[in-house]
Amino acid sequence: FNCSNMSRSDVLAWCMPCLPQQRPERPEKPEKPERPKIELMTLHQEIWRKILVQLEAIDLATLCQVTKELQQEICSKRLVKTLGLRALHILDAPFLNFAWLGAGRLASGEDGWETLLGSLALANAPRSRWMLEVLSLSSLLSVGVSHETMKSNALLGSNSCDSWGWEFSPKGWVETISSQQLKSQSRQLQPLLGHGQRMILVFHLRPRNGAGALLELAVLSFNGSWHWLDLGLTHELPALTGLRPAVSVDLGAAVRVLSSEVFLDSGC
């Protein structure tokens, strides 16, 4: 085929079906920048701490139910799934590490009735917690806080010195005690110490709006698995200085101060 004698228009008309058709390229649309995803749990831990410290137990439970994302992110943790969000809130408080003055970490009634004070003074703010493990409970045991002027032969909760706490009996009763002669509250618990069972008392001290603080107590028990129990027996403390952890033990009762999160070693 010789197209040398053909005009340009004839060549194009003859060869057009064989030429690849070139479509004009469409300009690419600029990609829209992705909006940053805000993950609830990427908030700084200190921000969450400031939020949670302002909430009551019922508000914390509501918060866990309101958003599935928060529930999945927080409640997926083994400890929280076992103990609940309320326990997470308390266990997140700064941990106090101390010993009993003149007795180390162990307080027992081997020598008869005695009251011991902690080596660390409590501050009104910020909130804090400490933990005592009950090793023996075949006699009365009183735990709580007392002014540092309390004598060793005085009873926690007596009017000899400012003090607030709880008294445990071997039969499972727990009763609030106070030097302020307030009406006591009590509740019946299951037998607290059995074979292979551990019983840990978790104290939570948090400032109130205004003056003073609220002292709460929970029982963390282990019998094959961990269980958390809020006693619901709280003390409202005035704005005092010189308060310390305190314990009154008799023959047959013994507690030790926990120096770390040792309960996690049991597979919680």
Side-chain angles (χ1 to χ4, degrees):
F1 176 73
N2 186 3
C3 60
S4 59
N5 297 325
M6 298 176 64
S7 65
R8 182 173 181 274
S9 59
D10 292 337
V11 171
L12 291 177
W14 179 270
C15 299
M16 186 63 72
C18 301
L19 295 176
Q21 297 184 8
Q22 298 182 355
R23 298 180 180 178
E25 296 183 358
R26 296 181 180 179
E28 295 183 358
K29 294 182 179 179
E31 295 183 359
K32 295 182 179 180
E34 293 185 1
R35 294 181 179 180
K37 296 181 179 179
I38 300 178
E39 300 290 345
L40 288 176
M41 296 313 297
T42 58
L43 293 178
H44 195 277
Q45 184 178 0
E46 186 63 27
I47 297 177
W48 276 115
R49 181 176 289 113
K50 290 179 180 180
I51 294 174
L52 294 178
V53 73
Q54 301 297 327
L55 301 180
E56 299 294 339
I58 188 171
D59 298 319
L60 287 167
T62 303
L63 178 63
C64 189
Q65 294 296 328
V66 165
T67 165
K68 291 294 183 182
E69 181 176 359
L70 183 63
Q71 188 174 15
Q72 291 173 358
E73 292 288 340
I74 296 184
C75 298
S76 61
K77 299 179 183 292
R78 262 165 113 193
L79 182 61
V80 182
K81 290 175 70 174
T82 303
L83 304 181
L85 189 59
R86 172 62 175 168
L88 171 68
H89 173 60
I90 293 179
L91 295 176
D92 186 53
F95 185 79
L96 299 184
N97 191 4
F98 65 93
W100 302 117
L101 291 173
R105 297 192 180 276
L106 178 64
S108 67
E110 292 182 353
D111 298 326
W113 188 269
E114 183 181 22
T115 295
L116 299 172
L117 300 178
S119 58
L120 186 66
L122 301 173
N124 288 325
R127 70 190 184 102
S128 57
R129 67 180 168 94
W130 63 97
M131 304 169 74
L132 305 179
E133 181 167 11
V134 180
L135 304 179
S136 176
L137 189 58
S138 57
S139 64
L140 291 179
L141 168 69
S142 298
V143 293
V145 298
S146 173
H147 193 266
E148 57 191 7
T149 57
M150 173 167 274
K151 303 299 183 181
S152 61
N153 59 354
L155 177 63
L156 188 66
S158 65
N159 57 9
S160 61
C161 185
D162 288 331
S163 60
W164 298 262
W166 299 266
E167 184 178 87
F168 288 86
S169 73
K171 295 183 178 180
W173 281 97
V174 56
E175 181 179 3
T176 58
I177 53 177
S178 171
S179 60
Q180 308 302 313
Q181 303 299 321
L182 302 175
K183 183 178 180 180
S184 63
Q185 298 174 292
S186 62
R187 63 177 296 179
Q188 172 73 57
L189 305 178
Q190 296 293 330
L192 298 175
L193 278 180
H195 179 69
Q197 185 174 356
R198 296 181 66 186
M199 174 185 172
I200 297 176
L201 305 179
V202 184
F203 299 81
H204 183 218
L205 182 67
R206 61 183 179 90
R208 290 187 298 164
N209 293 332
L214 192 68
L215 182 61
E216 304 169 310
L217 180 63
V219 176
L220 183 63
S221 60
F222 182 81
N223 189 9
S225 61
W226 287 104
H227 299 278
W228 180 274
L229 176 63
D230 273 306
L231 293 182
L233 307 174
T234 61
H235 287 286
E236 294 184 359
L237 309 184
L240 295 177
T241 58
L243 290 181
R244 294 174 181 267
V247 59
S248 294
V249 288
D250 199 359
L251 185 65
V255 297
R256 70 183 177 103
V257 181
L258 295 187
S259 58
S260 63
E261 311 292 11
V262 294
F263 65 93
L264 294 176
D265 299 334
S266 299
C268 183

